[in-house]
Amino acid sequence: MKQFKKILKFELKGYLRNKIFVGFTIFLVALIAIVMFIPNIISAFESDEVTDPAPTDIPTMLVYAEDEDLASIVKEYFETTFVDYNVKLAEGNVDQLKEEIVAGNAECAFVMDSASSYTYYVNNLSMYDSNTAIADTVLQEVYRINAMIQNGLSLEQAGEIMSVQIESNTQTLGKDQMQNFFYTYIMIFALYMVILLYGQMVATNVATEKSSRAMEVLVTSAKPTAMMFGKVLASCIAGFTQLVLVFGTAILLYNVNKEALSNPLIASIFDIPIELFIYLIVFFILGFLIYAFLYGAIGSTASKLEDINTSVMPITFLFIIAFMVVMFSMSSGEIDNVAMLVCSYIPFTSPMAMFTRICMSTVAWYEIAASIAILIGSTIGIGILSAKIYRVGVLLYGTPPKIGTILKTVFKKQ
């Protein structure tokens, strides 16, 4: 235990003395602070600026129909829909209307051939022009009202029928996927970034010590289990501390600026239920540890720093596959598909898969317990195995050995 404490303390001091690590943490905290204060900054600038008067010169849209009643109804509905236009009834005939558009006196015009047919006139059709799509929706309602009037109903009666409001109430008996989507995505993405960043850091640190021959002395004076667990737990504590500082700053500043950040989307990110937060911590720590042990073991087998990227590639691909399965499942809305069910019990994928299912689906307690138990057992087992690989790997130089050869050597020594 003394060896473990010494190694853990030494590794933690190394992270605290690392200028890049400290600088990056300060940068992230400052960035979060700026983002959280953006609404207040914007409102401060807006209050200092003189509000420009609203533009009065808005483009004209003409409406023409031989049936004056139809033209009046269309104009009335277009006025409430096309708020960026000055909607007017066209005077004269269609040819005069075209001349108005070409001359620039009007921007566009709708010539109603009937209640269900029209011709849209415009001088230069913009690729962003959506007037016809909007008009199609509006004119469907106009057609129905016109049909009701022709069948004896008054305009008021037809309007009341068409404007009836449907009341609805939704009761969620399980999980609200939309509400839980954002903090689930943030957790998965944070786990993805931390594992890739700190896992690579663990592997690099181990390979650096090996290349300096410092390990040959350390491995004879300290147990490999103490060395491996000390290094990995130190990186876990450093990474978790960084995340606590970043997300703690975000939560604190969110509560300070809650009124300015009164947005349902932002609120859903910070209003994570306490039970989901506990699951987040459990899966985050276990998921980090299992990959950090693997990265440390692989790093001990590399003879040179240049070999690290190639050596850890299979582990990185494994993690990326797990990440992609979860992301595709979240985007499709089918959280409990076969791939997610299988990944929920595989220790390399369960930290992301099971947590996502807990957040966005209904999962039985025994499924969660089984997944966590498998993950804990696998983490301890892989940690011990990684320590044994570490002891063998640090003494191997030259061509990077194959994993089969290393495992054979490990089990021979037992």
Side-chain angles (χ1 to χ4, degrees):
M1 182 60 71
K2 286 184 179 180
Q3 293 176 348
F4 169 75
K5 287 182 178 179
K6 285 182 179 179
I7 293 169
L8 179 64
K9 187 177 180 181
F10 175 79
E11 293 293 332
L12 284 175
K13 283 184 178 178
Y15 282 107
L16 293 175
R17 291 170 181 170
N18 189 322
K19 293 181 180 179
I20 297 176
F21 173 79
V22 175
F24 186 64
T25 304
I26 294 172
F27 169 76
L28 288 178
V29 170
L31 181 63
I32 289 292
I34 293 171
V35 170
M36 287 298 173
F37 278 105
I38 280 178
N40 289 332
I41 295 171
I42 293 174
S43 61
F45 276 107
E46 286 180 347
S47 62
D48 293 336
E49 293 177 357
V50 178
T51 305
D52 295 329
T56 56
D57 187 17
I58 59 176
T60 298
M61 174 184 289
L62 299 177
V63 175
Y64 175 82
E66 292 184 1
D67 184 345
E68 293 182 359
D69 291 335
L70 175 60
S72 298
I73 295 173
V74 171
K75 175 183 178 293
E76 181 181 343
Y77 273 82
F78 276 15
E79 281 178 336
T80 58
T81 305
F82 293 101
V83 293
D84 294 329
Y85 285 93
N86 181 18
V87 182
K88 293 182 178 180
L89 290 174
E91 298 178 357
N93 54 30
V94 176
D95 290 334
Q96 291 174 329
L97 177 148
K98 293 179 183 178
E99 291 175 2
E100 290 286 314
I101 294 174
V102 173
N105 298 325
E107 184 172 298
C108 58
F110 285 88
V111 175
M112 305 301 303
D113 303 317
S114 67
S116 59
S117 175
Y118 69 85
T119 302
Y120 179 63
Y121 290 95
V122 62
N123 192 27
N124 296 308
L125 182 61
S126 169
M127 61 185 295
Y128 302 108
D129 192 323
S130 59
N131 289 344
T132 55
I134 298 171
D136 289 347
T137 304
V138 175
L139 290 174
Q140 283 182 347
E141 185 174 345
V142 173
Y143 177 80
R144 296 187 184 109
I145 290 176
N146 196 47
M148 291 178 189
I149 293 172
Q150 290 177 357
N151 283 278
L153 293 178
S154 66
L155 179 61
E156 291 74 16
Q157 290 174 323
E160 288 177 4
I161 293 172
M162 293 302 298
S163 62
V164 64
Q165 297 294 320
I166 306 299
E167 297 181 0
S168 66
N169 185 27
T170 302
Q171 292 187 357
T172 304
L173 303 179
K175 299 290 179 64
D176 186 344
Q177 290 189 358
M178 182 56 68
Q179 181 181 358
N180 297 354
F181 177 84
F182 297 103
Y183 51 72
T184 305
Y185 180 83
I186 290 172
M187 182 272 174
I188 298 301
F189 192 75
L191 179 61
Y192 176 80
M193 295 301 297
V194 168
I195 285 179
L196 289 184
L197 176 64
Y198 285 93
Q200 189 83 9
M201 196 177 293
V202 170
T204 302
N205 288 343
V206 171
T208 302
E209 291 177 359
K210 179 179 177 179
S211 62
S212 66
R213 302 287 179 128
M215 279 179 157
E216 295 180 8
V217 177
L218 291 172
V219 82
T220 57
S221 58
K223 292 181 180 179
T225 306
M227 294 183 66
M228 176 59 75
F229 276 78
K231 287 179 177 295
V232 169
L233 287 177
S235 66
C236 179
I237 292 170
F240 198 71
T241 302
Q242 191 177 58
L243 288 180
V244 168
L245 288 173
V246 172
F247 287 105
T249 301
I251 293 170
L252 175 64
L253 295 180
Y254 168 74
N255 288 300
V256 171
N257 299 282
K258 205 165 188 177
E259 293 183 2
L261 296 168
S262 56
N263 183 294
L265 173 60
I266 298 175
S268 69
I269 295 173
F270 289 95
D271 293 342
I272 180 171
I274 186 64
E275 66 272 14
L276 292 185
F277 185 75
I278 293 171
Y279 283 127
L280 186 154
I281 299 297
V282 170
F283 282 107
F284 192 95
I285 292 175
L286 292 174
F288 177 86
L289 288 176
I290 196 168
Y291 274 96
F293 281 129
L294 289 174
Y295 274 106
I298 295 298
S300 67
T301 64
S303 300
K304 298 179 293 183
L305 284 176
E306 292 81 2
D307 298 332
I308 288 293
N309 291 332
T310 305
S311 300
V312 302
M313 196 174 291
I315 302 174
T316 304
F317 278 146
L318 175 65
F319 186 64
I320 290 174
I321 290 170
F323 178 78
M324 296 304 295
V325 168
V326 172
M327 286 295 104
F328 283 132
S329 299
M330 288 178 67
S331 60
S332 67
E334 297 180 8
I335 302 300
D336 290 324
N337 57 50
V338 176
M340 287 289 283
L341 291 174
V342 173
C343 289
S344 296
Y345 301 101
I346 300 174
F348 304 112
T349 58
S350 61
M352 290 187 291
M354 181 55 82
F355 178 76
T356 301
R357 287 185 61 210
I358 292 171
C359 288
M360 303 184 69
S361 180
T362 302
V363 186
W365 68 267
Y366 55 84
E367 293 184 55
I368 301 173
S371 177
I372 293 176
I374 292 171
L375 186 55
I376 292 173
S378 301
T379 301
I380 295 172
I382 289 176
I384 295 171
L385 178 62
S386 297
K388 296 183 183 300
I389 294 174
Y390 176 86
R391 185 175 183 85
V392 173
V394 296
L395 300 175
L396 296 176
Y397 293 91
T399 305
K402 294 181 180 179
I403 188 66
T405 305
I406 294 175
L407 291 176
K408 189 183 293 185
T409 307
V410 167
F411 290 114
K412 268 186 181 180
K413 288 183 173 288
Q414 306 309 313

